[in-house]
Amino acid sequence: MADYVVPTVRALKAYSWEDSSEKIAKAYGLRPEDVVRFDMNTSPYFLAEGLVASCAKSCANAIAEYPDASYSSLAAKLSEYAGCQQDELVICAGCDEVLDVAVKTFLGSNRKLVTSEPTYPMAEICASSLGNTVVRVARKKEAGYAIDENDFVEECQNANLAYICNPNSPTGNLEPVEKIIRITKAIPCVLFVDEAYFEFAGQSVAPFVRECPNLVVGRTFSKAFGLAGGRVGYAIASRSLVEGMEKVRPPNSVSSISLALAQKALEQKSSMQRNVMALAASRKTLCLRLESLGLPVFSSQANFLLADFGSVESAANACQKLLQKGLVVRDVSKKPGVEGCLRITIRKDADNERLAVELEKILTGSNEQKSKTQRT
Ligand SMILES: Cc1ncc(COP(=O)(O)O)c(C=O)c1O
């Protein structure tokens, strides 16, 4: 890598995604529309027909101008949804930008971030790029991936920012509100609670931002609202933390069209809630189906499941064979703490069943293969 790149960035491992649907379709002779994404934790439910086009149309006349940098009309609707005041919100281009802004505001450089492992890595990536020390407190499989409260609080005593993803990705487990608040009150730095999946879990620590002046809650329209391509996220925090974040936030990173889409999505809150309920039912069905194939599945409060394939090789083999059928799952099998596991996003029942049928073939195929080898 070129010497122009700062050493802290040169040392980073690039965040990697599965290939695009077009690339996968081309590689395996499929039509792009036959590729189903079980890897991004996005929603299979879209905004009502015609809404995207009508939002684009409503912005057409003003598209030569920047959006109102305070995003005030979205903030007004969002404050109702989030149960806070408008000046307790920071709106950004996705929760990833919220994380970036929080790291710049509360951590800076050459200081210390405490996170956990396994978890969503973006806070760590932002922090490392600025030359910070990162400490990962282990989430142990035998504890259902719960955070060890004492270890976490102790590590935070000389830290400048702490990060907890709740429900956690890629494991899907949820920490109780009381535990998160106890941690917030016991540490001397800001705690960023990433609630990207909170609509699926039905609980939030957002009502505590006034009581806890060091609490920042990050959220997104990418998951339950089905707006990942729109790129809208937000933070909820006390006014003094918001004031700091507002100094760092890029003023126009959310496009006029995305602002209009997010407002429409909030107007359709009840259909989002119906979709969340449908996905919870589909999660249960898929979980039972995977368990019936002999795969241990971890309890999840989000729109995905973590399934244990027993070894890195079995997981990689299943992943590759599913890919050939256009079924893209998230391979986390080489990551510490979730070795041998694949993360599977819940989609509509028909697609979930398509996945289960293919997995059944793969798993019985490999069992037959094993018993044949044992016989010979
Ligand atoms: C836990 C978590 N936080 C944040 C994000 C990023 O969300 P956004 O699309 O709003 O940037 C994701 C995306 O997968 C996520 O899983």
Side-chain angles (χ1 to χ4, degrees):
M1 195 175 276
D3 280 351
Y4 300 115
V5 177
V6 292
T8 48
V9 175
R10 227 181 302 150
L12 281 181
K13 214 171 137 226
Y15 186 75
S16 64
W17 289 267
E18 311 301 331
D19 284 338
S20 70
S21 299
E22 289 70 25
K23 197 168 170 190
I24 292 164
K26 202 164 167 207
Y28 300 107
L30 306 162
R31 295 179 308 170
E33 57 272 28
D34 289 334
V35 176
V36 188
R37 308 296 317 202
F38 289 92
D39 58 326
M40 304 273 202
N41 296 345
T42 45
S43 174
Y45 296 102
F46 308 132
L47 281 184
E49 177 106 13
L51 265 189
V52 178
S54 80
C55 284
K57 204 167 161 205
S58 71
C59 296
N61 291 336
I63 207 74
E65 302 298 335
Y66 287 106
D68 153 28
S70 68
Y71 307 141
S72 55
S73 51
L74 175 59
K77 288 216 162 66
L78 197 50
S79 68
E80 270 172 49
Y81 174 71
C84 62
Q85 297 298 312
Q86 287 184 49
D87 56 7
E88 293 170 318
L89 285 170
V90 184
I91 297 174
C92 289
C95 189
D96 278 349
E97 190 176 75
V98 177
L99 272 166
D100 187 54
V101 168
V103 166
K104 286 173 181 155
T105 311
F106 306 118
L107 186 60
S109 55
N110 303 315
R111 305 213 296 170
K112 177 178 171 186
L113 170 80
V114 177
T115 181
S116 59
E117 181 171 62
T119 197
Y120 187 65
M122 207 46 79
E124 170 166 354
I125 293 173
C126 296
S128 302
S129 74
L130 296 174
N132 289 290
T133 302
V134 177
V135 173
R136 306 179 200 125
V137 174
R139 288 172 175 265
K140 296 199 180 90
K141 187 173 173 175
E142 55 277 18
Y145 294 114
I147 286 183
D148 183 311
E149 190 172 334
N150 290 336
D151 287 357
F152 195 88
V153 167
E154 200 182 314
E155 253 330 319
C156 287
Q157 292 311 313
N158 61 353
N160 307 93
L161 180 65
Y163 171 84
I164 293 179
C165 185
N166 203 39
N168 189 40
S169 175
T171 54
N173 64 304
L174 180 74
E175 299 288 2
V177 167
E178 309 79 64
K179 180 172 171 184
I180 301 282
I181 298 304
R182 262 199 320 272
I183 293 176
T184 313
K185 290 183 174 171
I187 66 176
C189 60
V190 164
L191 175 65
F192 187 104
V193 182
D194 186 335
E195 291 192 352
Y197 301 99
F198 104 95
E199 282 94 350
F200 301 101
Q203 66 157 59
S204 172
V205 292
F208 291 87
V209 294
R210 283 185 207 157
E211 190 180 322
C212 302
N214 59 333
L215 177 63
V216 177
V217 180
R219 296 212 190 137
T220 182
F221 282 81
S222 297
K223 309 298 178 184
F225 281 107
L227 262 191
R231 312 301 306 122
V232 189
Y234 58 101
I236 308 163
S238 63
R239 285 191 187 115
S240 73
L241 299 189
V242 165
E243 226 175 280
M245 290 176 82
E246 282 291 318
K247 291 187 182 170
V248 174
R249 169 177 77 80
N252 289 297
S253 59
V254 187
S255 77
S256 312
I257 298 177
S258 295
L259 292 167
L261 281 169
Q263 282 185 66
K264 285 285 173 214
L266 287 174
E267 283 164 22
Q268 307 217 330
K269 180 178 133 183
S270 52
S271 89
M272 176 278 285
Q273 286 164 335
R274 269 197 307 280
N275 297 340
V276 163
M277 268 155 57
L279 286 168
S282 301
R283 181 180 67 207
K284 195 168 175 194
T285 309
L286 182 63
C287 180
L288 292 172
R289 188 77 166 85
L290 296 177
E291 283 173 345
S292 76
L293 301 178
L295 292 169
V297 180
F298 297 91
S299 160
S300 168
Q301 298 296 313
N303 63 337
F304 54 84
L305 290 169
L306 185 73
D308 191 350
F309 284 71
S311 70
V312 174
E313 296 72 32
S314 307
N317 174 56
C319 207
Q320 187 56 33
K321 291 204 166 120
L322 288 171
L323 214 49
Q324 291 168 10
K325 302 288 177 186
L327 305 171
V328 196
V329 298
R330 185 78 168 126
D331 187 356
V332 293
S333 64
K334 293 187 197 72
K335 294 196 188 294
V338 284
E339 292 89 350
C341 293
L342 297 179
R343 194 192 68 192
I344 303 171
T345 303
I346 309 302
R347 304 221 49 115
K348 288 185 183 167
D349 287 336
D351 281 331
N352 297 338
E353 182 54 21
R354 198 179 137 200
L355 178 93
V357 167
E358 290 306 330
L359 264 179
E360 189 163 15
K361 287 187 209 157
I362 295 165
L363 294 170
T364 49
S366 63
N367 285 344
E368 271 167 29
Q369 198 58 41
K370 252 189 229 156
S371 52
K372 256 191 218 159
T373 348
Q374 275 161 4
R375 265 184 261 129
T376 51

